[in-house]
Amino acid sequence: MTEHRHPHEAGHEAGPCCGGDAVIERAERLCRERDLQFTRLRRDVLKAVAEAGRPLGAYDIAERLSEPGRRVAAVSVYRALDFLTEHDLVHRIASRNAFVPCAHSHGEGAGLVFMICRSCGGIDETTSPEIEDQLGRTLARAGFRPASRILEVEGECEACLQREGAA
Amino acid sequence: MTEHRHPHEAGHEAGPCCGGDAVIERAERLCRERDLQFTRLRRDVLKAVAEAGRPLGAYDIAERLSEPGRRVAAVSVYRALDFLTEHDLVHRIASRNAFVPCAHSHGEGAGLVFMICRSCGGIDETTSPEIEDQLGRTLARAGFRPASRILEVEGECEACLQREGAA
DNA sequence: TCCGAGGGTGTTACAGTGTATCAGCCCCGA
DNA sequence: TCGGGGCTGATACACTGTAACACCCTCGGA
């Protein structure tokens, strides 16, 4: 994970790297392949999350999508988010009740790790097969059959550490 | 369920193993040592969580503690829970908005893993220094300085798997 | 003895998060 | 043309969590 350093930071508004378009294109492709409906609402919700540059709550999203003449209720957003999370287009951050776009198209069940920065509020994700291995062993030892998991770390991201160091 | 297999299972109401008393005693000792106040409310909340045998929400706890003549408001429960989690006497399960007693007195910062059973709703915890090692390496590679983390796995616990197998 | 500070609790109010339910719409196939 | 299924809109509601303020108690000074 050397080059790919683009945390969903506050202020990092949708570059060409991870901005709306790339995610949307991936979503369109995926929905075509799996014969799913990529409706306007779902597209709009995904776009909002992708362009926000920071984790958004469902009600934030509803507000962003609402405009005079079109009111988007939170419940509709939740349904769209259910769809998007189910197909790994966005991730839910349990410790924040918030959603971020899925940065990479990682393989199925890759060991996802979310890093949540206390300073800038940004969230970045990475993967680690080694952690997944160890976790698998640990669970096997306990006789537990896993179906899904969340691993979220709170702390200080690289950018904020450097900023502090410089200050 | 051999020796130390005592998930906080539905129906597993407070054995002598992990039941209220042991946890309460540990809490009393800890509070004496650190010169903290183990008040009636804090004790009652801890007791409720320990005896429930399953993860409880704050409002569940408030209800359990309330009786004719004493109404315990959720906000008071939250304050007690803040205290108890801060001192590692209970843990918060982020993916469920619920609380369980801390089963073992594990060392500081031990890599805690929560296993949440979909069938019985029980939650068991374990630790794995190996996972912690790997996680540390992964975060270092990303330049991220961790402060706290959560690792929660959903699936099927040993007891439920056996029950299914037998059925 | 009085007084003030600090911590814990009670209470009300409210913000934020998530779900249940029903009705309407649209598309597609029989 | 008629259903059925999937998506959306809308209302209502339950659950989760926090803010703000008042009260009480204890403890250490003045």
Side-chain angles (χ1 to χ4, degrees), chain B residues 2-158:
Chain B
T2 53
E3 66 303 12
H4 192 78
R5 306 258 52 244
H6 62 85
H8 306 295
E9 240 179 64
H12 170 87
E13 283 274 342
C17 57
C18 69
D21 293 352
V23 188
I24 299 272
E25 275 171 31
R26 191 159 70 79
E28 278 175 345
R29 201 170 50 245
L30 184 145
C31 288
R32 257 200 315 275
E33 284 168 12
R34 303 190 195 172
D35 202 28
L36 302 167
Q37 299 187 45
F38 194 50
T39 64
R40 177 185 171 197
L41 181 66
R42 291 172 181 174
R43 169 192 302 266
D44 288 352
V45 168
L46 179 55
K47 200 156 188 290
V49 171
E51 287 180 348
R54 66 177 180 86
L56 287 186
Y59 281 68
D60 288 338
I61 299 171
E63 201 173 333
R64 283 184 179 226
L65 296 187
S66 293
E67 39 184 30
R70 172 155 94 134
R71 182 188 155 239
V72 177
V75 59
S76 299
V77 174
Y78 275 110
R79 282 190 291 231
L81 287 171
D82 283 345
F83 173 88
L84 295 170
T85 52
E86 191 175 339
H87 295 99
D88 276 328
L89 293 165
V90 311
H91 297 300
R92 177 186 159 75
I93 306 299
S95 59
R96 294 291 178 103
N97 295 323
F99 298 83
V100 293
C102 173
H104 340 299
S105 88
H106 31 66
E108 281 299 319
L112 227 41
V113 182
F114 294 103
M115 295 170 289
I116 308 165
C117 180
R118 280 181 177 170
S119 298
C120 67
I123 296 188
D124 199 6
E125 63 179 80
T126 183
T127 57
S128 164
E130 295 88 358
I131 294 179
E132 215 49 26
D133 271 11
Q134 281 299 343
L135 180 58
R137 268 193 280 280
T138 300
L139 294 177
R141 215 183 306 140
F144 191 89
R145 181 164 66 197
S148 69
R149 32 128 294 194
I150 60 177
L151 175 45
E152 299 173 10
V153 187
E154 221 181 282
E156 302 263 331
C157 76
E158 193 168 30

Side-chain angles (χ1 to χ4, degrees), chain A residues 101-116:
Chain A
C102 173
H104 343 298
S105 87
H106 32 65
E108 281 299 318
L112 227 41
V113 182
F114 293 104
M115 295 171 287
I116 307 165

Side-chain angles (χ1 to χ4, degrees), chain A residues 52-80:
Chain A
R54 65 179 181 85
L56 287 186
Y59 282 69
D60 287 339
I61 299 171
E63 201 174 332
R64 282 183 180 226
L65 296 188
S66 293
E67 39 185 28
R70 182 188 186 211
R71 181 187 157 239
V72 177
V75 60
S76 300
V77 173
Y78 275 110
R79 281 190 291 234

